[in-house]
Amino acid sequence: MSTKITQAEQGLSRIDGFRKLKTDTVQAESAWTSAQTRVAALAREIKETDKPTKEMSRNMAAAKREAAAAKTNFNRQSQSLQALRNDMVAAGQSTRVLASQNRELSTTYDRLMAQQTRLNLLSDQRDANLARRGELQGKLMGL
């Protein structure tokens, strides 16, 4: 039973991780798009002027560095997301039906934990009964 509980926990963890990573990837893509837009705007500004200032050149260089860093971050997030998606598919989880899988896994996890609690209680009762039985046998032998 503990392996089923572990599997349910791992499934829930993968779903939570996928959701967070998906959100992070969307944010990284947005940051990259914004950085690209800034580079394009600065390029237009420089093109429209006859003689760009040093500040304009510095701003353009900084914007290009920012765009490159944002692209690298987005690519890293995308690769991580794809790797997690592949792991989930290998584990039999579809990323298309996360909500229903999350409910199923939560229900399964709760049911398994309740069963485990019940088994622990029964085991404790059995141990108490065995101890009591030993005490009674000792008293009977002492007569």
Side-chain angles (χ1 to χ4, degrees):
M1 180 170 328
S2 65
T3 57
K4 288 183 180 182
I5 291 172
T6 303
Q7 289 171 343
E9 287 173 340
Q10 289 171 346
L12 289 169
S13 177
R14 278 191 297 271
I15 289 172
D16 289 341
F18 181 84
R19 284 186 174 149
K20 182 182 181 327
L21 194 53
K22 179 75 172 173
T23 300
D24 292 348
T25 302
V26 169
Q27 290 172 349
E29 183 178 27
S30 177
W32 178 35
T33 302
S34 294
Q36 285 180 313
T37 302
R38 177 156 163 71
V39 168
L42 289 171
R44 274 191 307 279
E45 187 178 318
I46 288 173
K47 185 179 178 182
E48 291 172 356
T49 189
D50 291 335
K51 188 173 181 183
T53 65
K54 287 183 181 181
E55 182 181 354
M56 291 172 96
S57 297
R58 279 193 308 268
N59 288 343
M60 178 61 127
K64 284 182 177 179
R65 281 192 305 275
E66 182 182 323
K71 180 180 180 180
T72 300
N73 185 39
F74 169 69
N75 287 337
R76 191 176 324 112
Q77 295 284 344
S78 294
Q79 289 170 353
S80 295
L81 184 64
Q82 187 59 46
L84 182 55
R85 184 178 281 126
N86 292 341
D87 289 347
M88 291 176 73
V89 168
Q93 289 181 296
S94 170
T95 57
R96 300 191 195 294
V97 289
L98 291 179
S100 66
Q101 286 184 345
N102 193 26
R103 279 190 302 275
E104 283 178 32
L105 283 170
S106 292
T107 301
T108 300
Y109 178 78
D110 291 343
R111 181 179 47 80
L112 289 171
M113 288 304 291
Q115 288 176 351
Q116 185 65 47
T117 301
R118 177 75 174 138
L119 284 173
N120 290 343
L121 177 64
L122 290 173
S123 178
D124 291 345
Q125 288 174 348
R126 180 189 50 108
D127 291 345
N129 284 338
L130 288 174
R132 178 73 176 139
R133 180 176 160 191
E135 289 173 14
L136 291 174
Q137 283 179 343
K139 287 182 181 178
L140 285 175
M141 298 298 247
L143 288 178

